[in-house]
Amino acid sequence: MSRGRFGIHGGQYIPETLMNAVIELEEAYNRFKADEGFNAELKKLLNEYAGRPSLLYYAEKMTKDLEGPKIYLKREDLNHTGSHKINNVLGQALLAKKMGKTRLIAETGAGQHGVATATAAALMDMDCVIFMGEEDTKRQALNVYRMRLLGAEVIPVKSGTATLKDAVSEAMREWTNRIDDTHYCLGSVMGPHPFPTIVRDFQSVISKEIKEQMYEAEGTLPDAVIACVGGGSNAIGTFYNFIEDKSVRLIGCEAAGRGIDTFETAATINTGKLGIFHGMKSYFCQDKYGQIAPVYSISAGLDYPGIGPEHADLHDTGRAEYVAITDDEAVQAFEYLSRVEGIIPAIESAHAVAYIMKHAKDFSKDQKVVITISGRGDKDCAQIARYRGENIYE
Ligand SMILES: *Cc1c(COP(=O)(O)O)cnc(C)c1O
């Protein structure tokens, strides 16, 4: 495999002005990922600050109710800041610090990655600037406040559709202008090499722990691992240490929005085509002219028109399966997990829960599946209430 490629996907489709920055990053990463001191420091942060290892919880009531496989939940929602994003952010922030950078910039959609980045910057005494689509700053006002409280500057991005893809573009532009003191802390397994590899490595702690915890609980591998897919970081983190274990099904759940036969969808593998955007070759939702299409999902965290290049390759080779889950199915799963297990999942994670609600009967009772709960759902309550016709702020 050539450098930074996953099959035909990945690569570095970037302006020359950014080349030095990504080369510097790749060299530093290769040096520090083999460095014992770095790894010990990161492990300490993950365990003592972020709260790892996260629980692997046997969802007994849900298992009984659905009459399918034994269901385990990987509880990334219990991490500090409430999602899996912190795993990657602590890794990149520590790396940036070792590289002598004093300033972190990041994009954010719903605000989870922005909050995680602002948190790490506060902890490590770094300046922090977050780019966020202006539309998203309105939809996620609470997270804008949290980022500012943590000491970050939040810049509303007005270009394009003023959402996540525009925030990524703006953060890349800013990095091009200022690479001396600044690290771009990218939030998912996307963008130019080496980001898809770096973010995957930092998130692979999820599947490393699942494997150990499943052996502890069941003495065996799971039959399937299931995760939601936006850019794909919690999913690749969930899949990575099982890729070589061919008996383990890898199932990614994309956001179908109002349906993959409508224009209001964000299901990249199911509706997208090969293209080049944000520095990588992969699958993207495109219009008939090949322009990036506006995407839609009830979930701001899955509302991205592309998918990480490693997922695109896992799809091409047939190693992983990618299914589309609609808004309606995700909202039902959000309510179901809350009532049955007393766990309010992020609406993103609810897409993965919905899969097993639909497909429990495809598994036998002696099989075991693990669903990654990528984040907690407090942030989504107002919106889901509105979806059901209630306004909780009235
Ligand atoms: C950001 C986010 C996602 C989507 O991002 P991936 O890179 O696909 O994991 C999913 N769930 C939660 C809770 C998020 O915050």
Side-chain angles (χ1 to χ4, degrees):
M1 187 176 69
S2 65
R3 206 167 122 265
R5 290 278 177 182
F6 302 93
I8 63 167
H9 305 281
Q12 292 176 313
Y13 298 87
I14 50 174
E16 216 173 325
T17 42
L18 215 53
M19 241 4 242
N20 284 338
V22 296
I23 290 170
E24 184 194 5
L25 177 60
E26 183 179 13
E27 286 174 358
Y29 179 61
N30 287 338
R31 181 151 37 92
F32 284 109
K33 86 174 173 197
D35 183 289
E36 257 177 55
F38 178 85
N39 286 309
E41 223 173 311
L42 178 57
K43 187 159 187 188
K44 191 168 152 70
L45 282 170
L46 289 171
N47 292 358
E48 293 173 20
Y49 187 71
R52 302 207 72 82
S54 68
L55 295 176
L56 184 73
Y57 168 72
Y58 171 43
E60 191 173 355
K61 287 181 66 198
M62 195 176 162
T63 298
K64 291 219 170 87
D65 185 53
L66 295 177
E67 300 181 332
K70 256 182 123 165
I71 300 166
Y72 284 85
L73 305 177
K74 182 59 173 163
R75 300 286 311 275
E76 294 298 304
D77 57 311
L78 297 177
N79 297 339
H80 180 44
T81 72
S83 80
H84 68 290
K85 296 273 175 18
I86 196 80
N87 305 330
N88 166 48
V89 164
L90 288 175
Q92 285 198 48
L94 188 63
L95 179 63
K97 190 111 190 158
K98 300 282 177 201
M99 292 171 73
K101 308 288 177 184
T102 56
R103 182 170 173 265
L104 293 177
I105 60 171
E107 84 293 345
T108 197
Q112 294 297 102
H113 178 58
V115 168
T117 304
T119 298
L123 180 70
M124 298 188 195
D125 284 321
M126 299 173 88
D127 293 333
C128 184
V129 178
I130 305 295
F131 295 89
M132 188 171 188
E134 190 171 42
E135 277 306 310
D136 292 331
T137 62
K138 291 179 198 155
R139 289 191 287 201
Q140 301 286 343
L142 178 62
N143 273 343
V144 174
Y145 179 78
R146 290 169 77 198
M147 289 183 266
R148 292 195 170 130
L149 185 65
L150 291 160
E153 182 187 354
V154 180
I155 299 186
V157 177
K158 297 185 171 69
S159 57
T161 50
T163 57
L164 177 57
K165 81 167 182 7
D166 309 293
V168 174
S169 304
E170 201 53 40
M172 281 188 175
R173 198 165 306 137
E174 167 69 12
W175 199 33
T176 310
N177 289 336
R178 191 165 161 185
I179 55 181
D180 292 354
D181 64 347
T182 299
H183 173 69
Y184 178 16
C185 184
L186 224 165
S188 192
V189 282
M190 43 157 294
H193 176 69
F195 284 110
T197 300
I198 292 181
V199 179
R200 178 254 275 150
D201 288 353
F202 288 142
Q203 291 294 359
S204 68
V205 65
I206 299 174
S207 50
K208 181 171 172 286
E209 288 176 6
I210 292 175
K211 211 170 200 176
E212 292 164 3
Q213 291 166 322
M214 273 303 282
Y215 271 113
E216 179 98 342
E218 297 282 353
T220 176
L221 290 168
D223 294 281
V225 292
I226 306 167
C228 65
V229 183
S233 70
N234 89 90
I236 209 76
T238 301
F239 295 174
Y240 187 64
N241 287 286
F242 296 110
I243 291 176
E244 300 301 322
D245 300 312
K246 295 289 154 60
S247 68
V248 182
R249 286 174 65 191
L250 313 176
I251 302 169
C253 301
E254 303 192 306
R258 298 209 164 86
I260 54 172
D261 48 359
T262 73
F263 289 105
E264 291 174 294
T265 180
T268 311
I269 294 278
N270 282 276
T271 70
K273 290 198 289 285
L274 189 65
I276 291 170
F277 187 55
H278 284 158
M280 60 177 168
K281 183 181 277 184
S282 189
Y283 294 111
F284 297 94
C285 297
Q286 300 171 41
D287 67 15
K288 64 181 178 187
Y289 304 106
Q291 295 294 319
I292 297 301
V295 287
Y296 163 80
S297 162
I298 190 167
S299 147
L302 303 182
D303 201 354
Y304 180 71
I307 188 167
E310 192 163 7
H311 285 293
D313 186 53
L314 288 170
H315 167 70
D316 286 356
T317 60
R319 179 65 190 91
E321 307 156 54
Y322 296 87
V323 297
I325 299 291
T326 64
D327 284 0
D328 255 331
E329 292 166 338
V331 170
Q332 280 174 34
F334 178 87
E335 294 166 341
Y336 177 81
L337 194 67
S338 302
R339 274 199 307 271
V340 175
E341 292 288 351
I343 296 169
I344 303 174
I347 189 64
E348 291 82 8
S349 325
H351 286 71
V353 176
Y355 178 88
I356 205 65
M357 291 171 66
K358 284 173 79 177
H359 296 282
K361 296 287 164 58
D362 301 348
F363 295 85
S364 64
K365 288 200 172 175
D366 59 348
Q367 289 190 301
K368 291 117 199 145
V369 304
V370 178
I371 304 170
T372 293
I373 305 299
S374 53
R376 66 173 186 236
D378 313 45
K379 67 181 179 56
D380 301 308
C381 288
Q383 192 190 8
I384 305 303
R386 213 176 308 123
Y387 188 84
R388 292 301 193 200
E390 270 180 67
N391 187 343
I392 60 173
Y393 289 124
E394 252 169 20

